[in-house]
């Protein structure tokens, strides 16, 4: 483990969305990496931008009273992130607090930070943190969704963040059917037989046993689509209405043998809504933090037992 906390300073924490005490809410903690001390105003704007996007994105809008958002200002010595030549980057190394780097597993887009450092800072600043997120001050496209959700400031940054938090906070799988790219790799023709643990991908397209079968209409074919050429990604357009839940072949990094619940989903490609299965998992996770509905049966001017109308 590389400790790089000499390359910056934890400046302080601000609660930017307050829906109640941290002990009773789902607490999102947003930190920054690769922001120099003079750029922390930009980080504040970037964090607010993401929070605004989050609450404007279904299903989070209907869950908003359950969610607090905290911004942790962290300054770094240098701007940006490591961007190795091995993945086509310029070979930049940046001295940053969380040691952000592109090019994990040979994929430039896989941007990671030192998770131990990030979780240590989140835990010390907001002990009741529910999810830790790091915004990396680079315009190179990238993100990742391990124990910490990470994203850069490439075009569509907030969309990347919504995808990555699908992994980090809700245990969702990638629904796309390649790893490095369609036609750019071998070993991704057919998914292994084992059933993935994540709720939104499966090897089981049988109507009787599929894990999201309660959302599949009786008239929907199972599987709903199949890939005619397992050596590459399926090029076919969606043959059914967009909202149809079924089993669409091509998911979880494989061209065949794995299925996703809808043709499109944010966990498959950016700028799509979360599919019904992903949305349900998000609601199931956050709903327990919604404030209880208060019934003020004895409010002034009301008879005992007379319900308030909200
Ligand atoms: Zn999905």
């Amino acid at each position: 483990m590389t400790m790089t906390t000499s390359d910056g300073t934890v400046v302080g924490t601000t609660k930017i969305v307050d829906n109640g005490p941290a002990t009773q809410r789902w607490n999102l903690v947003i930190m920054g990496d690769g922001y120099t001390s003079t750029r922390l105003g930009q980080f504040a704007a970037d964090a607010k931008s993401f929070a605004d996007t989050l609450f404007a994105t279904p299903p989070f809008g209907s869950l908003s009273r359950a969610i607090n958002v905290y911004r942790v200002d962290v300054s770094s010595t240098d701007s940006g992130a490591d961007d190795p030549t091995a993945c086509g980057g310029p070979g930049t190394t940046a001295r940053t607090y969380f040691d952000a780097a592109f090019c994990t597993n040979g994929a430039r887009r896989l941007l990671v930070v030192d998770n131990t450092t990030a979780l240590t800072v989140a835990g010390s600043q907001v002990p009741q943190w529910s999810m830790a997120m790091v915004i990396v001050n680079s315009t190179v496209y990238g993100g990742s969704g391990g124990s910490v959700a990470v994203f850069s400031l490439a075009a569509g940054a907030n969309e990347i963040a919504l995808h990555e938090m699908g992994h980090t906070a809700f245990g969702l799988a990638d629904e796309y059917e390649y790893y490095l790219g369609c036609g750019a790799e071998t070993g991704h023709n057919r998914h292994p037989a084992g059933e993935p643990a994540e709720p939104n991908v499966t090897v089981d397209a049988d109507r009787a046993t599929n894990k999201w079968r309660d959302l599949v209409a009786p008239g929907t074919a199972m599987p709903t689509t199949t890939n005619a050429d397992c050596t590459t990604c399926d090029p076919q357009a969606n043959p059914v209405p967009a909202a149809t839940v079924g089993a669409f072949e091509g998911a979880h990094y494989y061209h065949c043998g794995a299925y996703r619940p809808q043709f499109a989903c944010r966990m498959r490609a950016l700028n799509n809504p979360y599919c019904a299965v992903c949305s349900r998992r998000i609601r199931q996770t956050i709903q327990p933090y919604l404030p209880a509905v208060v019934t003020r049966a004895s409010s002034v001017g009301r008879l005992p037992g007379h319900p308030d109308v909200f």
Side-chain angles (χ1 to χ4, degrees), residues 42-59:
Q42 182 62 49
F43 169 64
D46 294 339
K48 180 180 187 308
S49 170
F50 178 71
D52 290 346
T53 298
L54 180 70
F55 291 114
T57 301

Side-chain angles (χ1 to χ4, degrees), residues 175 200 261 265 267 274-275 278:
E175 295 183 25
N200 63 323
C265 174
M267 299 310 293
Y274 293 109
C275 72
C278 293

Side-chain angles (χ1 to χ4, degrees), residues 177-245:
E177 64 208 87
Y178 56 85
Y179 191 74
L180 293 177
C182 296
E185 58 195 348
T186 56
H188 287 263
N189 291 0
R190 183 161 287 279
H191 193 282
E195 175 67 14
E198 297 93 337
N200 63 323
V201 291
T202 187
V203 298
D204 180 9
D206 186 322
R207 176 186 306 282
T209 52
N210 171 275
K211 60 190 176 188
W212 55 75
R213 62 187 178 277
D214 61 308
L215 298 176
V216 178
T220 301
M222 290 288 278
T224 316
T225 62
T226 54
N227 184 357
D229 180 1
C230 292
T231 66
T232 189
C233 299
D234 188 348
Q236 73 176 296
N238 188 5
V240 295
T244 303
V245 177

